[in-house]
Structures are given as C-alpha cells and as structure tokens.
Amino acid sequence: MYYLLKYTKIFATMTLAVLCASITTGCRDNLPDSLPAQAADVESSAVQKQESKLHSETSKKNKESHPSETHSTSEKETDVSKLTQNSTSSEQNSKDKSSDNSQMDEKQKQSSTESPIKSKETTTQSKTSHLTQENTAINETPQTEQSSASKITEAPQKKSSSPTPSPNENISYERKSSSTHIIINDEMRAVWVPYLTLDISRNGGDEATFQTKINDIINTCLDYKLNTIIVHVRPFGDAIYPSDYFPASHIISGTQGIGVEYDPLQYIVDAAHSNGLSVQAWVNPFRISNGSSPWNLADSNPYIKWKNDSDESNDDYTFNYNGGIYYNPAYPEVRKLIIDGIAEIVRNYDVDGIQMDDYFYPSEETFYDEQTYNSYINSIENGYSGLSHQEWRKTNVNTLISGIYTAVHSIDNSVVFGIAPQCNFDNNNKISADVITWCSTRGYIDYICPQIYVSNQHPTFPFEGLAHRWKDTVTENSVKLYFGLGVYKAGTDADSGTWLLSDDNIKTQIELGRALGINGFMLYSYDYLNSSTTSKEMSNARSVID
C-alpha cells in the first residue's frame, strides 16, 4: 500500500506539470477550446439535415428488420452519443452520425465476386476495491471490373482465453513468430470504413455479398491512389471476426453472438494485402451499446455474464450513461479484457495497425462512475491526497493506452497503434483523452490523427489554426501526425455554411499538411468518396493525391 500511495503522489505532481504544459500549448492562435452554443447547434443541425435527406429509405428498412427498435439507425447514433448539450456532443457525435449515411444505397450491385485487379508486392516483417493502477460512413461505388481474392477456407486458429489475473499480475504476450505486412513509410493516404458500411445483416451475412462489398472498397481505394483502409472491427464491444473475448457482431449476421461460417476480417486482410493496401483494425474499446444498438446483447457478452453471475464484485465493471452501456476502465480486469481483445487481433491476423477513435469516457459528468471513484478515494491513507475525479479518469485511460501499446509491440513490433481523437482540445480533456501526454511521451502511441472535420473558413475553428496547434502538440519524435479530414461535410451547409464557400477545402487541407511536414491524412469516410454531394471537392482533392 505504501508504494501505491507513493505512486499516486508522484503521479499527481507529474499531472500538474502536464496540465501546465497543456495550458501553455493551448494558447496558440488564441483558439477557443469549445464551440459556442450557436456553433454547436449549427453543427448538429447540419448533420441531422444530411441524415434526414440520405436515410429515409434505410430507416424504414431498419425498423422492418428489427421491430423491437423504435428509432432509425440515424436516431440511434444521434440520441445516445449526445454527451452534453454543448460543443462536446457536437464534436463527439460527428463521426458516428456521418457513418450512418453509409447505408443510404442498399441496392445490390450485380458484379462478380472476383477480386480487385491489381496485385502489388507485400513486405514481410517477421476489480478490486482499492482499484490499484498497474504500470504498465454512400451514394454509389464505382462500377469496375472485378476478379476474386483467394477464398478463405477456414478461420485462423484461436487461443483459449486465460483466467483473469490478480490486479498486480504482470501480463505478458508471446511474440508472433512471423507476419506479412504492408508498411507505410511514405505519406499515409487512408480512408475510414465505418461499421455501417460493412453491414450486410439484411443479407443474412452472405459471404459473396461481403466479398463483393470489400472488393468494391478496395477498387475504389486503388482508383483514388490511397494506400490504407481503417476498418471498423469492433463498434460495440463485439467482433466481426471469431473471438474468444467478444461476441460476434450483429452487423454481419444481424444478431449479436451469431457468427458466420467465414472470417470477414481474414478476407479483408488477404484482399487488401494482395492489392498493396495496408489494413488497420479500428476498435471502440469502451462502448457496449448506445441504448438502441445492438438491439439485443448476446449471452456471451461480458456485460451480460457479469450481470447474471453471482459475483457482485464485477457489477461495476461497466456503467450506464444516457441510455448507453460502457466498460469501466478503472478496473484492471476490464483493462485486461480490452487489451487481450486487441492482442488477439494482432496475434491472429496480419493487420498493419490498431486504431482507437474518439470514444473514451462519455462526458465530464461524474455521477455515472462516482461510486468507483469514491472507492479509490477511500483507499487513500491519511496524510495523502488522491487524484481529482478527472485526473483519476485520465490515469485509468492512460494506463489502458500504455498497456495496449506494450501488448501490440510485444506481439509484433511492426504493427502500429494510433488514436484518432477529436480536434477540440477542451472536449478531449472533458472525456479524459489525455492527448498532450500521448503526443509528448514515448510508449503510448505510434501516431495521432485528430479528426479536424472543419472547413477552411469555419467561423470558430478554421482548419489552419487547428492544424498548426496539433503540429505544435506532437513533440515526441516517435509519434507520427496525420490529419483526419471530414469529406462527409463537403457540399453541405455544415460549419455555418462555410463548406459551400469553396470546393477545394480537402485539397488545400492536404496541401497544408504537406507544407507543415505531417505524415499524411485519413479521409472520413469511404461512403463519401463517390457521393454526388462531395464530387466537386473530391475531384479537386484527387488532383493532389499522387
């Protein structure tokens, strides 16, 4: 206990230093740290108008497919991911809201299931009460000729999950003996592929349908001269691949916990690699449900297991907020579950990277994990001061992030681990995303990709100001910086209509990134690369994507 208290006191001192650094960094260009209410309302309204226009048909189909659901897909993501009635909700929701539009065109393309055409070479590279902290988004896709990536005949060998260790047990991961990767040494040119883009649940998880969808994605990326796809493999504490830790995702079969006879992730990796594309697995580590989706949680879901067993000590491993269910990273057992799940991906698949997005604690409010925090405070002996609620949360998240980084590199050092946080520094602080520490300290991440989904003439956050600020924030030489660009807003009245003032926002943002010497960009999202709304922006952007 002495060492725990000593560690806590030292951490509090270090945290104060980090906060001071954060305040200094935050002064660049005198940028405000949160959107005013009016700007937030405009942002939310723009996204909702876009969803309404693009999703009327899909919403109807969703209700028919899942009678127990009372909201459309768009409403699910909007209602539950609203964290507060201010700018935090606006920035936090931008990604999932826009991703809902990916189901707008569900007409099946009559193309063969043969694989994308080009083939390129690949590169081979070999709970406890005291709560201690261990160290540790489519209009249409191009109609291109296709031919088939090799069919997956069987899923990779899975390893049985090990018993949950004691909180102070050191977790080790066996190094992967061999692997084949596409390593991006030049400019990162990536696109996000959200879970709704992968949704084939209305087709019963049909293998040919899934392969056709992946082939279309790969052909489009090759056409745009992109080199990486960021694929959503765990949107709701689930998995689109066979897992020993998480239930099969409903986005493939239609029901959580029911898998399919093929391995979707293996096909993605094989098809992408055979065409020279790098693949990163995108996970939401904390979110289990947003209140409406998934419409049913499987009996094998850890949340259901913990709630139904006789062990009351694990009941606080999750918490509820605004109708949603989330994993509680304050507990070592929960952190281990999340880390083991990511280690499983790296061990069983030749993914080239792991990415977490902008979902951490759902808000700065304290009521939903107050009992757990009080348990921590009560464990502090007289004479010592505990961390504030916010700094305690940051410690929980940072411990998890460090643990993921260590696990990934222990298994395969050529696999990268990165995070795509919000672009708003104040919002990140509210949800305990300690971006300042991650960008300035070795051992947390390999790259950071802030979601700078704003126009060049945004009334509060013009792109250039944020770009410079993020450039200044990354001070650790081992951390690469990419810019996340909001293609989904192009051609809309988002950001107070400023996206309509020009049609070269994305183009000039790519050029600015290069001028600043950053390492590349990621586009949100695949669904909007060939949308009629974004066509002018993307036509101009293509002129600078070599």
Side-chain angles (χ1 to χ4, degrees):
M1 177 63 71
Y2 169 78
Y3 291 102
L4 168 63
L5 299 176
K6 181 178 180 181
Y7 162 79
T8 303
K9 188 173 183 180
I10 293 173
F11 180 85
T13 303
M14 295 175 64
T15 298
L16 180 59
V18 170
L19 287 175
C20 292
S22 174
I23 294 171
T24 302
T25 305
C27 292
R28 179 179 177 81
D29 296 331
N30 293 317
L31 287 172
D33 278 324
S34 62
L35 289 169
Q38 183 179 7
D41 290 343
V42 170
E43 175 90 356
S44 179
S45 175
V47 175
Q48 291 174 4
K49 284 173 64 179
Q50 190 175 21
E51 289 172 346
S52 177
K53 180 180 178 182
L54 298 177
H55 257 285
S56 59
E57 181 178 354
T58 298
S59 298
K60 180 179 179 181
K61 291 181 179 179
N62 278 339
K63 290 180 181 180
E64 293 172 349
S65 177
H66 301 305
S68 63
E69 297 182 12
T70 57
H71 299 289
S72 68
T73 303
S74 171
E75 291 170 333
K76 295 175 194 175
E77 290 298 302
T78 301
D79 291 346
V80 184
S81 48
K82 281 185 179 178
L83 307 182
T84 62
Q85 298 302 315
N86 56 23
S87 60
T88 306
S89 65
S90 174
E91 296 288 340
Q92 181 82 11
N93 291 333
S94 62
K95 197 166 198 176
D96 271 2
K97 284 180 179 178
S98 60
S99 69
D100 290 338
N101 297 330
S102 63
Q103 290 190 31
M104 105 176 195
D105 185 4
E106 291 296 332
K107 183 177 181 180
Q108 291 298 316
K109 292 176 278 293
Q110 300 300 316
S111 58
S112 76
T113 58
E114 297 196 80
S115 108
I117 305 165
K118 300 181 182 178
S119 178
K120 299 182 179 180
E121 295 181 359
T122 58
T123 304
T124 301
Q125 304 282 338
S126 333
K127 153 181 28 128
T128 63
S129 61
H130 60 278
L131 306 174
T132 56
Q133 309 294 328
E134 72 263 39
N135 292 321
T136 21
I138 233 171
N139 227 0
E140 55 186 358
T141 49
Q143 300 300 312
T144 54
E145 181 183 355
Q146 300 176 0
S147 51
S148 175
S150 40
K151 184 178 181 180
I152 307 306
T153 56
E154 60 179 340
Q157 283 291 329
K158 300 185 294 179
K159 298 186 178 181
S160 300
S161 56
S162 58
T164 302
S166 62
N168 295 320
E169 181 176 322
N170 291 321
I171 310 303
S172 63
Y173 297 88
E174 182 179 352
R175 181 168 293 277
K176 195 171 183 178
S177 59
S178 63
S179 58
T180 301
H181 293 290
I182 302 293
I183 298 176
I184 307 302
N185 292 316
D186 299 320
E187 180 181 64
M188 172 68 73
R189 301 189 301 275
V191 64
W192 277 289
V193 183
Y195 73 92
L196 287 174
T197 302
L198 303 174
D199 191 344
I200 58 168
S201 58
R202 287 196 213 45
N203 300 96
D206 180 68
E207 182 174 10
T209 300
F210 184 81
Q211 291 184 2
T212 297
K213 183 182 290 286
I214 297 306
N215 293 345
D216 286 344
I217 291 171
I218 290 173
N219 276 321
T220 300
C221 291
L222 293 174
D223 184 45
Y224 272 84
K225 302 188 185 304
L226 303 179
N227 55 29
T228 302
I229 54 176
I230 314 294
V231 185
H232 215 168
V233 303
R234 185 181 305 144
F236 294 101
D238 51 8
I240 70 165
Y241 53 89
S243 174
D244 288 329
Y245 301 97
F246 300 99
S249 179
H250 69 291
I251 68 171
I252 302 296
S253 69
T255 303
Q256 187 179 94
I258 297 180
V260 290
E261 294 182 357
Y262 62 99
D263 188 334
L265 181 53
Q266 190 65 59
Y267 185 82
I268 292 170
V269 172
D270 289 348
H273 280 182
S274 68
N275 288 277
L277 293 180
S278 173
V279 180
Q280 293 197 23
W282 162 17
V283 301
N284 288 100
F286 297 163
R287 185 176 63 185
I288 301 172
S289 169
N290 65 18
S292 297
S293 185
W295 64 278
N296 186 49
L297 298 180
D299 290 341
S300 59
N301 191 301
Y303 166 78
I304 297 297
K305 288 182 177 180
W306 294 334
K307 291 304 178 184
N308 291 340
D309 65 21
S310 59
D311 184 3
E312 295 183 358
S313 68
N314 59 26
D315 290 350
D316 292 332
Y317 284 4
T318 62
F319 56 76
N320 291 45
Y321 179 83
N322 199 22
I325 306 171
Y326 302 85
Y327 283 113
N328 188 343
Y331 293 95
E333 293 85 353
V334 173
R335 295 195 295 267
K336 181 180 184 299
L337 172 65
I338 295 171
I339 295 170
D340 283 348
I342 290 175
E344 178 182 53
I345 299 173
V346 178
R347 183 172 59 244
N348 291 344
Y349 301 91
D350 286 342
V351 296
D352 307 296
I354 297 291
Q355 184 183 109
M356 288 172 54
D357 62 10
D358 57 332
Y359 279 87
F360 296 94
Y361 280 91
S363 83
E364 64 182 330
E365 296 173 273
T366 61
F367 70 89
Y368 57 86
D369 66 343
E370 189 168 18
Q371 182 175 332
T372 311
Y373 175 69
N374 288 338
S375 294
Y376 155 72
I377 290 297
N378 291 336
S379 72
I380 306 299
E381 293 183 359
N382 292 335
Y384 293 89
S385 297
L387 299 172
S388 69
H389 203 136
Q390 183 184 61
E391 290 307 316
W392 171 77
R393 284 179 174 176
K394 283 185 179 180
T395 302
N396 299 332
V397 172
N398 285 350
T399 303
L400 173 66
I401 300 302
S402 176
I404 293 174
Y405 178 93
T406 300
V408 168
H409 286 283
S410 295
I411 298 168
D412 191 335
N413 199 44
S414 61
V415 176
V416 297
F417 170 55
I419 298 178
Q422 297 182 35
C423 67
N424 185 304
F425 284 79
D426 186 56
N427 287 349
N428 282 319
N429 192 55
K430 290 176 180 178
I431 62 176
S432 303
D434 192 3
V435 297
I436 302 297
T437 296
W438 305 339
C439 292
S440 61
T441 310
R442 189 180 186 91
Y444 287 100
I445 55 176
D446 294 299
Y447 73 82
I448 192 92
C449 181
Q451 301 173 31
I452 314 182
Y453 300 159
V454 297
S455 68
N456 294 335
Q457 301 179 64
H458 190 289
T460 307
F461 289 118
F463 184 89
E464 185 172 359
L466 285 170
H468 280 280
R469 185 171 178 184
W470 276 99
K471 170 67 175 177
D472 292 346
T473 298
V474 180
T475 58
E476 167 54 46
N477 292 332
S478 67
V479 177
K480 291 186 176 182
L481 172 62
Y482 308 128
F483 287 163
L485 308 180
V487 177
Y488 74 100
K489 287 186 175 181
T492 75
D493 60 359
D495 298 350
S496 300
T498 53
W499 282 88
L500 299 175
L501 298 178
S502 67
D503 53 19
D504 64 352
N505 288 275
I506 302 300
K507 173 180 178 290
T508 57
Q509 289 170 7
I510 292 173
E511 292 176 321
L512 175 60
R514 290 170 176 169
L516 292 176
I518 71 159
N519 305 102
F521 57 88
M522 297 182 179
L523 305 175
Y524 193 84
S525 67
Y526 169 79
D527 314 317
Y528 298 92
L529 295 182
N530 289 319
S531 164
S532 59
T533 304
T534 65
S535 60
K536 290 184 179 180
E537 277 275 0
M538 289 314 299
S539 177
N540 289 327
R542 293 183 71 163
S543 68
V544 296
I545 302 177
D546 299 329

